[in-house]
Structures are given as C-alpha cells and as structure tokens.
Short mmCIF file of all heavy atoms in Angstrom, two decimals:
data_model
loop_
_atom_site.label_atom_id
_atom_site.label_comp_id
_atom_site.label_asym_id
_atom_site.label_seq_id
_atom_site.Cartn_x
_atom_site.Cartn_y
_atom_site.Cartn_z
N SER Y 274 99.38 90.84 107.43
CA SER Y 274 100.16 92.04 107.76
C SER Y 274 100.47 92.21 109.24
O SER Y 274 100.92 93.28 109.64
CB SER Y 274 99.39 93.29 107.28
OG SER Y 274 98.97 93.15 105.96
N ARG Y 275 100.18 91.22 110.04
CA ARG Y 275 100.42 91.36 111.50
C ARG Y 275 101.86 91.80 111.75
O ARG Y 275 102.80 91.23 111.22
CB ARG Y 275 100.15 90.04 112.20
CG ARG Y 275 100.51 90.05 113.68
CD ARG Y 275 100.11 88.76 114.36
NE ARG Y 275 98.67 88.74 114.59
CZ ARG Y 275 98.07 89.28 115.64
NH1 ARG Y 275 98.78 89.92 116.55
NH2 ARG Y 275 96.76 89.20 115.78
N GLY Y 276 102.00 92.84 112.54
CA GLY Y 276 103.34 93.34 112.86
C GLY Y 276 103.82 94.44 111.94
O GLY Y 276 104.86 95.04 112.18
N GLY Y 277 103.04 94.73 110.88
CA GLY Y 277 103.44 95.81 109.97
C GLY Y 277 104.20 95.33 108.75
O GLY Y 277 104.31 94.13 108.49
N SER Y 278 104.75 96.28 108.01
CA SER Y 278 105.41 95.99 106.73
C SER Y 278 106.73 95.27 106.93
O SER Y 278 107.32 95.27 108.01
CB SER Y 278 105.69 97.29 105.97
OG SER Y 278 104.50 97.95 105.65
N LEU Y 279 107.22 94.67 105.85
CA LEU Y 279 108.57 94.12 105.82
C LEU Y 279 109.56 95.25 106.05
O LEU Y 279 109.31 96.40 105.68
CB LEU Y 279 108.85 93.47 104.45
CG LEU Y 279 107.96 92.29 104.05
CD1 LEU Y 279 108.23 91.93 102.60
CD2 LEU Y 279 108.21 91.09 104.94
N GLU Y 280 110.70 94.92 106.66
CA GLU Y 280 111.70 95.94 106.98
C GLU Y 280 112.18 96.68 105.74
O GLU Y 280 112.38 97.89 105.76
CB GLU Y 280 112.89 95.30 107.70
CG GLU Y 280 112.59 94.81 109.10
CD GLU Y 280 112.09 95.93 110.01
OE1 GLU Y 280 112.66 97.05 109.94
OE2 GLU Y 280 111.14 95.69 110.78
N ILE Y 281 112.35 95.96 104.64
CA ILE Y 281 112.84 96.58 103.40
C ILE Y 281 111.81 97.58 102.85
O ILE Y 281 112.15 98.61 102.28
CB ILE Y 281 113.20 95.52 102.34
CG1 ILE Y 281 114.04 96.11 101.22
CG2 ILE Y 281 111.97 94.81 101.80
CD1 ILE Y 281 115.45 96.44 101.60
N VAL Y 282 110.52 97.28 103.06
CA VAL Y 282 109.45 98.19 102.62
C VAL Y 282 109.42 99.42 103.52
O VAL Y 282 109.23 100.54 103.04
CB VAL Y 282 108.08 97.47 102.61
CG1 VAL Y 282 106.96 98.46 102.30
CG2 VAL Y 282 108.09 96.33 101.62
N LYS Y 283 109.60 99.21 104.83
CA LYS Y 283 109.63 100.34 105.75
C LYS Y 283 110.76 101.31 105.38
O LYS Y 283 110.60 102.53 105.41
CB LYS Y 283 109.85 99.86 107.19
CG LYS Y 283 108.67 99.15 107.81
CD LYS Y 283 109.03 98.68 109.21
CE LYS Y 283 107.90 97.89 109.83
NZ LYS Y 283 108.28 97.35 111.16
N LYS Y 284 111.90 100.73 105.01
CA LYS Y 284 113.08 101.55 104.70
C LYS Y 284 112.82 102.45 103.51
O LYS Y 284 113.26 103.60 103.47
CB LYS Y 284 114.27 100.64 104.42
CG LYS Y 284 115.57 101.40 104.17
CD LYS Y 284 116.75 100.47 104.11
CE LYS Y 284 118.03 101.23 103.90
NZ LYS Y 284 119.21 100.36 103.90
N TYR Y 285 112.07 101.94 102.51
CA TYR Y 285 111.80 102.72 101.30
C TYR Y 285 110.31 103.07 101.19
O TYR Y 285 109.74 103.07 100.11
CB TYR Y 285 112.26 101.94 100.06
CG TYR Y 285 113.75 101.65 100.08
CD1 TYR Y 285 114.22 100.38 100.36
CD2 TYR Y 285 114.68 102.66 99.82
CE1 TYR Y 285 115.59 100.11 100.39
CE2 TYR Y 285 116.04 102.40 99.85
CZ TYR Y 285 116.49 101.13 100.14
OH TYR Y 285 117.84 100.88 100.17
N SER Y 286 109.70 103.33 102.35
CA SER Y 286 108.25 103.56 102.40
C SER Y 286 107.81 104.74 101.54
O SER Y 286 106.65 104.80 101.10
CB SER Y 286 107.80 103.77 103.85
OG SER Y 286 108.49 104.88 104.42
N ASP Y 287 108.69 105.72 101.28
CA ASP Y 287 108.32 106.87 100.46
C ASP Y 287 107.98 106.45 99.03
O ASP Y 287 107.33 107.21 98.30
CB ASP Y 287 109.47 107.89 100.41
CG ASP Y 287 109.61 108.63 101.73
OD1 ASP Y 287 108.70 108.52 102.57
OD2 ASP Y 287 110.63 109.32 101.92
N PHE Y 288 108.43 105.27 98.63
CA PHE Y 288 108.21 104.82 97.26
C PHE Y 288 107.07 103.81 97.16
O PHE Y 288 106.83 103.25 96.10
CB PHE Y 288 109.49 104.19 96.70
CG PHE Y 288 110.67 105.11 96.72
CD1 PHE Y 288 111.67 104.97 97.67
CD2 PHE Y 288 110.77 106.16 95.81
CE1 PHE Y 288 112.76 105.84 97.70
CE2 PHE Y 288 111.85 107.04 95.84
CZ PHE Y 288 112.84 106.87 96.79
N PHE Y 289 106.38 103.55 98.29
CA PHE Y 289 105.31 102.56 98.30
C PHE Y 289 103.99 103.15 98.78
O PHE Y 289 103.96 103.93 99.74
CB PHE Y 289 105.66 101.38 99.22
CG PHE Y 289 106.71 100.46 98.68
CD1 PHE Y 289 108.01 100.53 99.17
CD2 PHE Y 289 106.41 99.53 97.70
CE1 PHE Y 289 108.99 99.68 98.68
CE2 PHE Y 289 107.38 98.67 97.21
CZ PHE Y 289 108.67 98.75 97.70
N GLU Y 290 102.93 102.78 98.11
CA GLU Y 290 101.56 103.00 98.60
C GLU Y 290 101.10 101.63 99.09
O GLU Y 290 100.77 100.75 98.28
CB GLU Y 290 100.66 103.50 97.48
CG GLU Y 290 99.24 103.84 97.90
CD GLU Y 290 99.18 105.08 98.79
OE1 GLU Y 290 99.90 106.05 98.50
OE2 GLU Y 290 98.42 105.05 99.77
N THR Y 291 101.12 101.43 100.40
CA THR Y 291 100.91 100.08 100.94
C THR Y 291 99.47 99.87 101.42
O THR Y 291 98.91 100.69 102.13
CB THR Y 291 101.88 99.81 102.11
OG1 THR Y 291 103.22 99.90 101.63
CG2 THR Y 291 101.67 98.43 102.69
N ILE Y 292 98.91 98.74 101.00
CA ILE Y 292 97.59 98.31 101.45
C ILE Y 292 97.79 97.05 102.29
O ILE Y 292 98.43 96.10 101.85
CB ILE Y 292 96.66 97.98 100.26
CG1 ILE Y 292 96.55 99.19 99.33
CG2 ILE Y 292 95.28 97.53 100.75
CD1 ILE Y 292 95.99 98.84 97.96
N MET Y 293 97.28 97.06 103.50
CA MET Y 293 97.43 95.93 104.41
C MET Y 293 96.19 95.05 104.38
O MET Y 293 95.07 95.56 104.27
CB MET Y 293 97.68 96.42 105.84
CG MET Y 293 98.95 97.23 106.02
SD MET Y 293 100.40 96.20 105.72
CE MET Y 293 101.64 97.12 106.62
N CYS Y 294 96.40 93.76 104.52
CA CYS Y 294 95.27 92.82 104.65
C CYS Y 294 95.48 92.00 105.92
O CYS Y 294 96.42 91.22 106.02
CB CYS Y 294 95.20 91.90 103.43
SG CYS Y 294 93.85 90.70 103.56
N GLU Y 295 94.61 92.23 106.90
CA GLU Y 295 94.73 91.54 108.19
C GLU Y 295 93.34 91.31 108.77
O GLU Y 295 92.65 92.26 109.15
CB GLU Y 295 95.57 92.40 109.16
CG GLU Y 295 95.71 91.83 110.55
CD GLU Y 295 96.18 90.40 110.55
OE1 GLU Y 295 97.27 90.12 109.99
OE2 GLU Y 295 95.47 89.54 111.12
N PRO Y 296 92.87 90.04 108.83
CA PRO Y 296 91.50 89.76 109.28
C PRO Y 296 91.29 89.89 110.79
O PRO Y 296 90.15 90.02 111.24
CB PRO Y 296 91.27 88.31 108.82
CG PRO Y 296 92.63 87.73 108.71
CD PRO Y 296 93.55 88.84 108.32
N GLU Y 297 92.36 89.84 111.57
CA GLU Y 297 92.21 89.94 113.02
C GLU Y 297 91.87 91.39 113.38
O GLU Y 297 92.61 92.32 113.07
CB GLU Y 297 93.51 89.49 113.69
CG GLU Y 297 93.35 89.02 115.13
CD GLU Y 297 93.36 90.19 116.09
OE1 GLU Y 297 94.29 91.01 116.03
OE2 GLU Y 297 92.41 90.30 116.88
N LYS Y 298 90.74 91.61 114.04
CA LYS Y 298 90.17 92.95 114.20
C LYS Y 298 91.09 93.92 114.92
O LYS Y 298 91.28 95.07 114.49
CB LYS Y 298 88.82 92.86 114.93
CG LYS Y 298 87.72 92.25 114.08
CD LYS Y 298 86.39 92.23 114.79
CE LYS Y 298 85.31 91.62 113.90
NZ LYS Y 298 83.99 91.57 114.58
N GLU Y 299 91.66 93.49 116.05
CA GLU Y 299 92.53 94.39 116.82
C GLU Y 299 93.74 94.82 116.01
O GLU Y 299 94.11 95.99 115.98
CB GLU Y 299 93.00 93.68 118.11
CG GLU Y 299 92.31 94.22 119.35
CD GLU Y 299 92.83 93.56 120.61
OE1 GLU Y 299 94.02 93.74 120.94
OE2 GLU Y 299 92.03 92.87 121.26
N GLU Y 300 94.35 93.85 115.36
CA GLU Y 300 95.54 94.15 114.56
C GLU Y 300 95.19 95.03 113.36
O GLU Y 300 95.94 95.94 113.01
CB GLU Y 300 96.19 92.84 114.08
CG GLU Y 300 97.51 93.02 113.37
CD GLU Y 300 98.61 93.56 114.26
OE1 GLU Y 300 98.49 93.46 115.50
OE2 GLU Y 300 99.60 94.11 113.71
N ALA Y 301 94.03 94.78 112.74
CA ALA Y 301 93.58 95.61 111.62
C ALA Y 301 93.39 97.06 112.07
O ALA Y 301 93.76 98.00 111.36
CB ALA Y 301 92.27 95.06 111.04
#
C-alpha cells in the first residue's frame, strides 16, 4: 500500500472500506 490507494479507489472512496497492508513501519 505504499503511497496510498489506487486513484480509482480514492475517487470512489465513499463506497470502499479499505484495509491497507504495508510492512514498512514508517509508511504503515
């Protein structure tokens, strides 16, 4: 998930419950 969601997901974020998986501590 580094950098955040896909642009298309950001655009319709109201319709998504997003769970991120990112092992790098700072980015998490």
